[in-house]
Structure formats: structure tokens, C-alpha cells
Amino acid sequence: MTMMRRMRLTALRASGAAVAIAAVCAMAAAPAGAEEHGHGHGRGHGHVRGTYLALGDSLAFGYSQAKFEALAPQDPAAAFDTGYVDDFARFLKRFEHVQVVNDGCPGETTESMMKACAYQEAGLPLHHPYPKESQLSNALAYIAAHPGEVGTISIDIGANDALGVAEVVCKLDPTCVAEHAPALLAQIGANLGSILAQLRAAAPEATIVVVGLYDPFPALSTIVTSEPMAQQLNAFTVALNGVLAQGAAAVHAIFANPFSRFNVEGTLEAEQASLCKLTNMCNHIPPDIHPTNHGYREIARAIEQAYLSSLSSQS
């Protein structure tokens, strides 16, 4: 199966995954510490240094299914230039000239980040290629080769771990997904902890930003038909964000949470309208969980807010 077809199937299966994940939500309670931001580290006080290193999955890459289909088979990575990394980089450049190194890999999980980028191995280009290396090993090698230059690191990871269990392990069986929920959150937390610890050891003075997740599935109005069901779906993402926030706090990183910007409180209709505006769940067939340009900008705003709040707390 080609990578293009796998990516299309991932979007197609998203609606089914919503039903499976709903079973997890009833079990998952958000761990303590899921604040909007954590604490800055070391360098702080707004001094931006030479390189912004962006890590993560398709969100860091700036992916959208429609753009991928329009660009295939060439698929130049440079055309994916409206993601949150691009927006946050413009924010950082207000302080000082910043070079962006974007290692984002569509489809990446907390496991594959320490092994290999399947998107790249399938022959599809990344913004910053690292053939025969994992994303993490490349990031660590880049930091080591440019001592003192990497001042800001962002990372979003974990969403594909959850989808992998629902789709691959459980074949969208809700009972199976529910049984795997505790182990899934524990595995994401452990892997993220290892990744962040290595990044912090390599760049002790850098500002690290862990980017939280939103829940796109309440946008599926044919499946999510009530506010209680939407809340069940949201509960799992809140729990996962709690794991991410705890991982950030452990290495004195900032946690930036875009959840409330996408999954607005109030009525189900209001939440669905927000998700239809900020994601491609309603304007692409099959539904695409990735943000629109506006949605990527909202993620960047969440990062900027958390970044500035962290600086204020240090002053």
C-alpha cells in the first residue's frame, strides 16, 4: 500500500476511530497539572537565540490532506508553509533573527520518533531530511553540532499513538480500546518522558514547548449527536493533555494547550462550528483531522500565549 493511500485511509478511518475512542473517554480522567503552561527553563527572559527546532508529527510538519493530494506525487515539503511552526517562527522573529529547523514527520508516534520516520522512508520529503536517522537522534545530533545555538524547541506528539491502538490493535472495537486505555496513556507518558529528558540534557538552557492536542471528532455530526457524547470524546483528549503537561513540567518545559480554542465550551453546535472552522473535518471528503490555516494559527497563538506567560512568571 502506498503512503498516499495509507494517509487517505487514516483520514477515512478517523470517523470510525471516534466511536472507538468514545469508550476510552469514560474511563480516562485528566491527571493533575494540565495547566495552560508550565515553567520556563534556564535562558528565559525573552532572549531568543539563533535556531528554533520544531519536532513532532503532521501538525509540526503543517500537513493537510487536501494539500497533499494537490501536490502528489512530487509533494514538495516547502509548500506546507502555513503550519503553527511557521506562525510561531514569525512570532519569535519579533525578538531576534531565528533560523527554523523543522523535523516534523507526518504519522510520527512517540515510539517511531525514537526509531524512524515512515513518511520519509516512503520517499516523501521532509522540511529537514534526516535519512537513516530517527527524528530524535537527528534532533540531538543537530543540537550537539550547533552548541548553544538552539534556543527554542517545540514538540507535538502522542495523537497517532492513540489512533494506532484504536485502528491497528483494536480494529475499532470499543471494548478493546477501553481495555488498552490505561496502558496507552502510561506508554505515551513514558516515551514522552524519555524524549524530553534527552532533549533537556542536550539543550539545558533552551526553552522547550510541549504542544497539547485538540479533539476533532465532535465535528462528526452524524456520529456525535449529543453534548454528553462530545464530552466523552473530549475527556480522552483532556486526559492525554494531562499526560503531556506532566511530561513538560518534569523537564521545566512550557505546556501550550490549544484545546479550548478548538473545543469551545457551550453547546454541541458551537463546538462543531468551531471545529469545522479550525479543522478540515467538514470541508474535505473523507474528513481530515488536520487544522485549516486558521486552525494552525490558533495553535500558534496558544503557544505564544504560554510562552509570554512563562516569561512574565520569570520576571
Side-chain angles (χ1 to χ4, degrees):
M1 183 183 293
T2 67
M3 173 60 72
M4 185 188 301
R5 177 154 177 78
R6 285 199 298 271
M7 297 295 285
R8 286 173 177 162
L9 285 177
T10 296
L12 180 62
R13 291 169 179 164
S15 60
V19 178
I21 292 175
V24 182
C25 301
M27 298 179 55
E35 299 88 0
E36 181 75 17
H37 60 87
H39 300 287
H41 182 88
R43 49 180 285 272
H45 299 292
H47 180 64
V48 178
R49 291 182 294 171
T51 300
Y52 163 32
L53 178 60
L55 308 174
D57 53 32
S58 55
L59 297 184
F61 184 84
Y63 185 90
S64 79
Q65 186 68 19
K67 185 173 286 189
F68 179 88
E69 291 167 354
L71 296 172
Q74 292 81 16
D75 188 29
F80 293 87
D81 59 356
T82 58
Y84 79 77
V85 170
D86 305 277
D87 291 327
F88 183 51
R90 282 190 286 272
F91 168 83
L92 292 176
K93 288 175 182 178
R94 299 177 190 173
F95 300 93
E96 187 175 324
H97 175 73
V98 174
Q99 171 183 276
V100 180
V101 176
N102 187 343
D103 275 0
C105 167
E108 198 84 297
T109 67
T110 59
E111 288 280 348
S112 68
M113 190 170 182
M114 297 183 281
K115 296 178 180 178
C117 172
Y119 187 89
Q120 180 173 235
E121 291 193 336
L124 297 169
L126 300 179
H127 292 288
H128 180 239
Y130 39 92
K132 300 182 180 179
E133 285 187 282
S134 70
Q135 184 174 170
L136 178 60
S137 64
N138 176 262
L140 296 174
Y142 185 92
I143 294 168
H146 302 83
E149 292 185 15
V150 177
T152 305
I153 301 170
S154 67
I155 177 170
D156 73 87
I157 201 73
N160 290 315
D161 298 64
L163 287 174
V165 168
E167 295 175 352
V168 178
V169 177
C170 292
K171 311 299 181 186
L172 305 183
D173 174 50
T175 301
C176 173
V177 175
E179 291 172 351
H180 282 81
L184 171 62
L185 293 174
Q187 177 181 324
I188 292 172
N191 288 342
L192 178 68
S194 175
I195 291 166
L196 291 177
Q198 292 179 69
L199 290 172
R200 174 55 74 210
E205 298 300 317
T207 294
I208 300 177
V209 182
V210 178
V211 183
L213 304 172
Y214 58 90
D215 178 9
F217 298 121
L220 297 169
S221 58
T222 58
I223 295 175
V224 182
T225 57
S226 69
E227 182 64 24
M229 185 175 182
Q231 291 174 355
Q232 282 187 322
L233 285 168
N234 290 342
F236 181 71
T237 304
V238 171
L240 183 50
N241 278 336
V243 171
L244 301 179
Q246 288 180 334
V251 296
H252 305 286
I254 297 168
F255 177 64
N257 191 357
F259 181 83
S260 63
R261 294 170 180 267
F262 284 73
N263 301 94
V264 298
E265 293 183 356
T267 65
L268 174 59
E269 290 75 16
E271 183 174 13
Q272 289 176 336
S274 173
L275 290 169
C276 286
K277 179 180 181 181
L278 300 181
T279 76
N280 290 293
M281 293 292 285
C282 306
N283 59 19
H284 187 272
I285 300 175
D288 177 17
I289 63 176
H290 296 93
T292 59
N293 290 348
H294 191 169
Y296 275 121
R297 181 71 192 112
E298 285 300 311
I299 295 175
R301 284 174 176 162
I303 297 171
E304 292 160 15
Q305 180 181 0
Y307 184 92
L308 291 173
S309 295
S310 179
L311 295 182
S312 296
S313 68
Q314 296 174 39
S315 59

